[in-house]
Amino acid sequence: MKYEGPRMSRSTEKFPAKHHSKKSLGQNFLVDNSVIAHIIDAVHPRADEIIIEIGPGRGALTERLVEKAGHLIAIEFDRDLISRLGARFSSHKNFRLVEGDALATDFCGFLEPNQQVRVVANLPYNVATAILQRLIEQRSCISEMVLMLQREVVERITAIPGSSERGFLSVLVEAYCEAENLFDVSPGAFRPVPKVWSSVVRLSLRQNVSERLKNPELLWAIVGVGFAHRRKTILNNLRQAPEKLGELLKRHGGAGIILCEAGVAPQRRAETLTLEEWSSIASVLE
Ligand code: SAM
């Protein structure tokens, strides 16, 4: 790790008297000690590793992680919390606080080449799936993620083919991660109390992503178009593919022929397709 000692990107400004939670930043803070302990048990931080925590908030997980992990890098967007976190944790030599937006953070940039991290987060609900997609994009330096998400999002992530919850995110996560739904957390474990239940999921990044994901850009364009209108068949969705993909489909004989070559019945709906079937459609177009 490019270790620069405990530091904050901005100075320890004055300690705010009281921090008011911001709905716009998905701030539902964990207050239930048994849930916090359960998450830390699931992470099992080690002295020989670097952990990145996204959205440390008021430090509920941070204080346990910093005790056990070799290095902890915490990325927080809320400047009011940055000053509190700095005051509370900057005496820990293994702690680095970064003020920033996880959606725009180069996670691998904190590390030396070939170093790997694990990511831990109680993700802000409003941008949780976008942050998850960003983490998957940066998978080259991430070995595992233990994430708290809305229960409904975890159900989508782990949905198998044929399930009505299956969508773009399910296929994306299946391609790159092994997902283990660990446990559910009730709204009462947070302040303010959210309206929905949460779940903690472990996503282990696959070391050998399938050989068949040779052209990921094309694959994700197809999956995106395939799920564009959930009530339509895969054929009708592909027929309405926008410009670049639409032209490619035409050059290969049109959506019907391509589905036939890939062995996918045109009347099926996107949620029934397996990752292998999506990959077969992409292979026909390569
Ligand atoms: N980890 C704390 C806990 O469990 O109590 C706080 C979790 S709270 C659900 C989400 C945290 O993510 C908040 O501290 C919020 O300010 C922060 N956050 C929101 N959007 C963010 C972003 N784009 N990048 C980094 N942190 C963000």
Side-chain angles (χ1 to χ4, degrees):
M1 182 180 136
K2 295 173 195 157
Y3 187 61
E4 292 156 35
R7 78 161 216 215
M8 294 174 298
S9 1
R10 282 172 208 262
S11 64
T12 29
E13 294 140 40
K14 283 213 178 96
F15 209 69
K18 182 161 171 34
H19 175 259
H20 295 281
S21 61
K22 300 182 176 92
K23 206 173 170 188
S24 62
L25 293 179
Q27 290 180 347
N28 296 97
F29 299 104
L30 261 175
V31 293
D32 184 324
N33 283 328
S34 66
V35 172
I36 294 167
H38 207 162
I39 295 172
I40 297 299
D41 277 355
V43 175
H44 197 66
R46 299 185 315 265
D48 65 349
E49 70 171 333
I50 306 165
I51 290 184
I52 292 183
E53 185 188 9
I54 297 174
R58 293 179 182 161
L61 297 170
T62 320
E63 74 171 340
R64 318 275 178 109
L65 293 169
V66 79
E67 277 168 16
K68 297 184 173 170
H71 296 283
L72 180 66
I73 302 169
I75 301 161
E76 175 56 62
F77 188 77
D78 184 349
R79 188 174 295 183
D80 295 342
L81 289 172
I82 284 283
S83 47
R84 289 172 164 256
L85 289 159
R88 186 164 164 202
F89 295 113
S90 59
S91 62
H92 291 265
K93 298 220 170 338
N94 61 340
F95 181 69
R96 177 173 175 191
L97 182 58
V98 178
E99 180 180 344
D101 179 354
L103 285 169
T105 301
D106 172 9
F107 299 99
C108 303
F110 295 124
L111 311 170
E112 300 291 352
N114 301 324
Q115 266 185 330
Q116 295 260 298
V117 282
R118 293 197 296 151
V119 175
V120 177
N122 168 13
L123 284 176
Y125 291 155
N126 42 350
V127 285
T129 57
I131 292 178
L132 175 57
Q133 289 192 42
R134 171 128 192 116
L135 289 166
I136 290 177
E137 271 167 31
Q138 305 229 335
R139 61 191 174 278
S140 63
C141 67
I142 300 174
S143 59
E144 187 184 273
M145 311 183 241
V146 177
L147 306 176
M148 172 119 70
L149 296 152
Q150 275 186 50
R151 183 164 68 181
E152 171 252 321
V153 173
V154 173
E155 282 165 1
R156 275 200 272 143
I157 284 175
T158 52
I160 57 170
S163 150
S164 59
E165 272 90 45
R166 193 163 166 92
F168 180 89
L169 201 60
S170 332
V171 187
L172 182 77
V173 170
E174 184 187 342
Y176 297 112
C177 309
E178 211 158 294
E180 189 188 350
N181 190 346
L182 297 178
F183 51 90
D184 293 341
V185 179
S186 79
F190 306 88
R191 292 290 180 279
V193 178
K195 290 201 176 77
V196 294
W197 277 66
S198 303
S199 296
V200 177
V201 66
R202 186 194 308 280
L203 300 175
S204 310
L205 277 294
R206 294 186 196 281
Q207 294 304 308
N208 302 312
V209 170
S210 166
E211 267 286 289
R212 304 180 78 183
L213 302 187
K214 275 182 290 190
N215 187 342
E217 205 186 319
L218 174 61
L219 176 66
W220 301 120
I222 294 167
V223 179
V225 167
F227 278 107
H229 304 280
R230 297 186 67 91
R231 285 165 179 232
K232 289 189 178 167
T233 62
I234 180 76
L235 176 66
N236 284 340
N237 273 325
L238 290 185
R239 273 184 177 156
Q240 286 173 12
E243 291 159 20
K244 213 172 144 198
L245 181 59
E247 279 163 25
L248 185 66
L249 287 159
K250 264 190 212 138
R251 276 209 303 282
H252 284 78
I257 304 255
I258 288 148
L259 288 171
C260 181
E261 282 181 35
V264 175
Q267 298 314 315
R268 286 173 60 189
R269 288 180 205 280
E271 68 258 27
T272 69
L273 267 66
T274 63
L275 172 62
E276 285 65 34
E277 288 173 321
W278 287 114
S279 307
S280 302
I281 299 171
S283 308
V284 173
L285 293 171
E286 271 166 9

